[in-house]
Amino acid sequence: MDEFRRLTRLPAYVFNITSELKAAARKRGEDIIDFGMGNPDGATPKHIVDKLIEASQKTATHRYSLSRGIPRLRKAISNWYKTRYDVDLDPETEAIVTIGSKEGIAHLCLAVLDDADTVAVPNPSYPIHIYGPVIAGSKVQSISIDGAGADALLEKLEHNLPRMQPRPKLLILNFPANPTTQCVELSFFERVVALCRELGIYIVHDLAYADIVFDGYRAPSVLEVPGAKDIAVEFFTLSKSYNMPGWRVGFMVGNKKLVAALGRIKSYFDYGTFTPIQVASIAALEGPQECVAKIRDNYRSRRDVLVGGLNKLGWPVELPKATMFAWTRIPEQYRKLGSVEFSKKLLLEAKVAVSPGIGFGDHGDGHVRFSLIENEERTRQALRGIKQMFKNG
């Protein structure tokens, strides 16, 4: 058998372990309550779907699109940033449409990295932040953020980045964070931008959960920092804010050099997202935003039921200020199992599926991640199953 060297650098996808167990349990007729994949379960708002249908009926939209995204959507993206963050963007040179942020991050890494480069990435992180650089052939230098608050993380960055050899080409960040739900204020980005400017490091920030925020918290954009566009780009996806995960549409904005690099490599890989989806995305960004508030409130309600219920069971969990997740340290009595075996135990005994923390990096192994993708009634059912598991020991 041929050995595919690039694939040997990728570990086994640990989420497959619980996914296979979940599928087997459901095949046996068991009711598994699924908090695993961060896959929004709500319907896409009607006005967005209606625009897709309207655009799809025009035969001109059935042809190849543009890998950078249609001009009208890039203009809508730029207007969205101006309205929301008071950030000025040139839609021609500082904005590019991606087939979801995951594709964009992976292809950006392929465009700008090679085997001589290194990338600094917090650990734990969303897998593509770690393995996008690995797939591109570069090396990852991990920065542990397990249990670290924003101030502690900032101190780690300011201590570690100048001492890393070789100097990282990119620093990949994600706030509000998946899986840890960690949040930062604009002052955090101000210091990180100053540090990376001094060291000559590009910043890649994933702002996927900009709208899924609670209790008065506002998620800042790194591009709000004056001069950030000199060294930074930011990704956003419509998946979470507008319940559009399967539509696969997102964008990257900021530094012209990185935007051009991504645009060049995408021109070899794809012809862009289906044009009617891009037209519908304009309707999402420019249309009524009450739907975003409803989606956010739905996640907040689910968060309150899940986190409140876990705490009542004696499983201490901090109430997240943002994202569609709860990042939970494994209860002390089960901690020696590790996240994969504990996830198996939850699935087999409580009929609850979660994501093992080690899937987000080795520093995540003491945790599991709940996605807020089950309604309140199903969440209460899951809590009863977990209570029974605790009782059985």
Side-chain angles (χ1 to χ4, degrees):
M1 293 287 289
D2 291 332
E3 183 171 311
F4 302 110
R5 191 168 64 87
R6 194 178 302 278
L7 294 183
T8 62
R9 298 192 65 200
L10 299 175
Y13 202 56
V14 299
F15 302 121
N16 287 346
I17 298 170
T18 50
S19 294
E20 288 167 5
L21 285 172
K22 178 175 63 181
R26 285 177 168 165
K27 193 173 182 179
R28 294 191 299 267
E30 297 176 17
D31 181 17
I32 302 299
I33 303 170
D34 190 2
F35 298 101
M37 185 178 179
N39 189 4
D41 62 313
T44 304
K46 185 177 183 299
H47 70 281
I48 300 172
V49 176
D50 288 345
K51 181 57 72 171
L52 172 72
I53 294 169
E54 176 189 323
S56 298
Q57 291 171 339
K58 299 176 180 177
T59 55
T61 67
H62 299 178
R63 307 185 71 185
Y64 290 133
S65 188
L66 300 173
S67 59
R68 292 194 304 134
I70 60 175
R72 184 68 182 80
L73 178 53
R74 284 184 275 121
K75 184 176 180 181
I77 290 163
S78 301
N79 291 341
W80 187 84
Y81 259 86
K82 180 62 177 176
T83 300
R84 188 183 184 105
Y85 299 113
D86 197 24
V87 170
D88 291 306
L89 294 168
D90 181 346
E92 283 300 312
T93 60
E94 296 177 332
I96 184 169
V97 180
T98 59
I99 307 173
S101 57
K102 188 174 181 180
E103 172 270 324
I105 291 168
H107 278 154
L108 178 66
C109 290
L110 281 173
V112 303
L113 300 173
D114 59 40
D115 56 9
D117 294 320
T118 64
V119 179
V121 186
N123 187 332
S125 278
Y126 183 57
I128 200 63
H129 299 158
I130 300 171
Y131 295 111
V134 170
I135 292 168
S138 63
K139 297 177 180 63
V140 170
Q141 301 188 63
S142 291
I143 302 167
S144 171
I145 60 170
D146 188 21
D151 290 342
L153 174 57
L154 195 54
E155 288 178 9
K156 282 189 177 185
L157 290 172
E158 291 178 335
H159 179 269
N160 291 356
L161 287 178
R163 292 166 176 80
M164 286 182 174
Q165 294 296 329
R167 182 69 50 78
K169 179 173 279 190
L170 304 179
L171 169 64
I172 300 179
L173 297 173
N174 166 218
F175 297 107
N178 176 12
T180 66
T181 76
Q182 186 176 30
C183 297
V184 299
E185 302 294 340
L186 184 59
S187 57
F188 174 91
F189 285 131
E190 289 171 345
R191 288 175 62 177
V192 170
V193 167
L195 174 66
C196 289
R197 185 194 298 278
E198 179 184 340
L199 297 175
I201 299 172
Y202 285 114
I203 298 169
V204 178
H205 181 233
D206 186 351
L207 188 58
Y209 300 94
D211 291 306
I212 314 301
V213 292
F214 317 115
D215 308 330
Y217 175 69
R218 174 190 176 274
S221 162
V222 68
L223 298 183
E224 290 181 272
V225 178
K229 286 192 293 183
D230 295 341
I231 59 164
V233 288
E234 191 160 69
F235 282 90
F236 181 77
T237 170
L238 277 67
S239 296
K240 303 339 187 264
S241 299
Y242 299 95
N243 273 346
M244 295 172 65
W247 298 55
R248 307 313 305 134
V249 59
F251 52 81
M252 185 186 88
V253 297
N255 181 266
K256 293 181 180 181
K257 191 172 182 180
L258 294 185
V259 168
L262 179 56
R264 184 171 180 185
I265 203 163
K266 276 177 63 65
S267 70
Y268 286 91
F269 275 108
D270 66 73
Y271 289 106
T273 297
F274 185 42
T275 297
I277 290 178
Q278 296 192 58
V279 173
S281 298
I282 296 168
L285 294 173
E286 295 187 343
Q289 299 299 298
E290 291 83 1
C291 58
V292 179
K294 288 180 181 178
I295 291 166
R296 177 171 56 244
D297 289 346
N298 188 43
Y299 284 126
R300 179 187 51 76
S301 178
R302 294 177 178 187
R303 174 203 68 164
D304 292 347
V305 171
L306 175 66
V307 175
L310 290 174
N311 278 289
K312 285 179 182 176
L313 295 179
W315 186 348
V317 181
E318 187 175 339
L319 198 68
K321 291 193 296 184
T323 78
M324 55 181 290
F325 307 111
W327 181 243
T328 63
R329 194 174 186 202
I330 298 171
E332 187 173 358
Q333 64 268 37
Y334 302 108
R335 209 161 286 162
K336 64 185 179 187
L337 293 175
S339 60
V340 172
E341 291 304 315
F342 178 65
S343 296
K344 289 181 183 179
K345 186 177 181 69
L346 275 175
L347 195 145
L348 296 172
E349 298 183 21
K351 311 304 177 190
V352 171
V354 298
S355 295
I358 197 170
F360 304 98
D362 53 355
H363 290 284
D365 196 26
H367 295 73
V368 294
R369 189 196 72 178
F370 287 80
S371 297
L372 303 175
I373 56 172
E374 294 277 10
N375 63 35
E376 289 88 338
E377 182 181 346
R378 296 275 290 168
T379 300
R380 292 187 183 96
Q381 181 183 337
L383 291 166
R384 290 191 292 270
I386 294 169
K387 182 179 181 180
Q388 187 61 47
M389 187 188 87
F390 284 178
K391 190 178 293 185
N392 293 342

